[in-house]
Structures are given as C-alpha cells and as structure tokens.
Amino acid sequence: MKYEREIIVSSLVVVAGIILFYLLQERDIAIRMVVRAAGLFGYLFLSLAIVSSEYMLQMRKVFGRPFMNVHHHLARVGIVLILIHPILVAYQFGLNAFLPVFYPFMDFLGLAGRPALYLIIIAVLAGVYRKRIPEKWKNIHALNYLGFVLVFFHAWIIGTDLQYGLMQILWIVLVLIVLAVFVRKHIMPTPARKKNAGKGKQEKRQD
C-alpha cells in the first residue's frame, strides 16, 4: 500500500505541476491570477472528491484514514476554491457574476460556472444535512456531477488556460473519470459495489 500511496501522491503532484506551469504562462494582474488558480485547482479538487466517493475501502487501505476524512478534506478545499473564484470575479465586475445566463445556449455554456456554483452548494448542503433527509440526500448530492460537467464547459469555452493542448487533455480526462464514476455508482451498481457501500456505512458509524 505504501507504493500505491506514493504513486497516487506523485501523480497528483505532477497534475498540480502541469496546472501551475500553464497558469504561469499567462502573466496577469494578481487578482486575475488568483481567480484563475482558484478555478483550476477547484476543478481538480472537486474531481478528486467525487472520485474518492467511489473508493471507500481503498482510502483506508492506501492512506490509513477513513474514507470520509479524505473525501471531506478534498471537498472542503474544492468548495473554498470554487467560492473564491466567483467572489473575486464579482469584486472586479459586479454581482451580475452570480446571475446565471440561459440564452443563447453558447452563452449559457460559457457562463455555466454560475449555475454550477448553486448546484454544487445545494449538493454539499444535502451532504451536510443528510441525517435530516436520509431518503433524499443522495439524489440531491448527485447534483455534484451535473455541476462538475457545467464547470468543465465553462472552463473549456472561456477559460484562459484551456487554450493549451495538454490542459485540454487533462480536463477531458478528469471529466471522463468523473462521468465513469457516476455511471458505475448510479447507473450500473454491481453487487460488489453495494457490498462495499455497506462496509463504508459501517466505517462511518465506527468513526
């Protein structure tokens, strides 16, 4: 497990290094650099939080920590970053940065980060208050996937740093992994996955 942990951590360092490298290729004023960095790394951490939800037992085996600890840490960082991104945009250009645009369609996709923000916040709140809505929270929490896909289109269409081929490949790989997790977790659940989910619930009760 030690080598698996080292491989995972090394891979994440490489991915973060790629993002940072291309972030620095476009010199900008300080606030714009922070906006871009928050958006890029927010996307990365949200993808990691979503993917970690599919590997409950592996989180404990590889990192020696309960799944929920790893998942929540990743989610917290991702949420903070995606909040910083629009807040600083609004500081620069006004509060209309929080208003979704639905028409024309390409404008909706280019500014899809706006509705994505609300979807992700709702999904997170469902997770926080899951004990109060035990039968519905998972369906609401799944809005994370839709929000993530909308963020993908937002960055792809108007993102400064998505002009580079390697960044485009990275973005496509991350969204495909997230979509694969969604299909496996919500559309084609296997008996083994259900068994692991049951073990994950036992783990949460123990922790």
Side-chain angles (χ1 to χ4, degrees):
M1 292 302 169
K2 176 182 177 182
Y3 295 109
E4 290 182 9
R5 182 169 65 249
E6 291 177 351
I7 291 172
I8 292 172
V9 172
S10 298
S11 299
L12 294 179
V13 170
V14 170
V15 171
I18 291 172
I19 294 174
L20 187 60
F21 173 79
Y22 285 109
L23 176 68
L24 296 175
Q25 295 307 298
E26 297 290 328
R27 298 294 179 178
D28 214 336
I29 60 175
I31 190 170
R32 283 291 303 159
M33 292 290 287
V34 175
V35 167
R36 289 164 51 208
L40 295 173
F41 283 101
Y43 182 86
L44 174 62
F45 275 91
L46 283 180
S47 68
L48 295 175
I50 291 173
V51 171
S52 71
S53 69
E54 179 61 16
Y55 298 99
M56 300 181 183
L57 298 179
Q58 290 86 342
M59 290 296 102
R60 180 182 286 278
K61 290 179 180 179
V62 175
F63 293 98
R65 305 189 67 178
F67 150 74
M68 291 303 289
N69 284 355
V70 177
H71 177 70
H72 285 165
H73 287 326
L74 293 170
R76 288 188 188 105
V77 175
I79 292 298
V80 169
L81 291 173
I82 67 164
L83 286 174
I84 290 174
H85 180 76
I87 288 172
L88 291 182
V89 172
Y91 175 78
Q92 286 184 287
F93 304 107
L95 293 178
N96 63 337
F98 290 104
L99 298 177
V101 174
F102 298 101
Y103 182 83
F105 185 65
M106 288 306 299
D107 287 354
F108 165 72
L109 289 180
L111 300 174
R114 298 178 183 184
L117 176 66
Y118 298 111
L119 290 174
I120 292 171
I121 290 174
I122 292 171
V124 169
L125 290 176
V128 172
Y129 296 103
R130 61 188 178 277
K131 293 182 179 179
R132 298 186 182 182
I133 48 174
E135 296 181 358
K136 298 180 179 179
W137 82 269
K138 286 186 178 180
N139 291 332
I140 300 174
H141 197 60
L143 289 173
N144 270 319
Y145 295 96
L146 177 57
F148 187 84
V149 172
L150 290 177
V151 171
F152 168 82
F153 283 111
H154 165 64
W156 187 269
I157 294 173
I158 68 172
T160 301
D161 303 284
L162 268 289
Q163 62 179 302
Y164 301 104
L166 188 55
M167 285 292 287
Q168 292 175 354
I169 293 172
L170 176 60
W171 246 232
I172 291 173
V173 168
L174 289 177
V175 77
L176 288 178
I177 292 174
V178 167
L179 290 176
V181 169
F182 173 77
V183 170
R184 175 169 173 165
K185 191 172 182 180
H186 295 276
I187 298 178
M188 297 190 310
T190 63
R193 215 205 71 78
K194 291 180 179 178
K195 182 178 179 181
N196 288 343
K199 291 182 180 179
K201 291 179 181 178
Q202 293 179 358
E203 179 183 275
K204 286 191 288 183
R205 286 196 292 268
Q206 294 172 356
D207 297 323

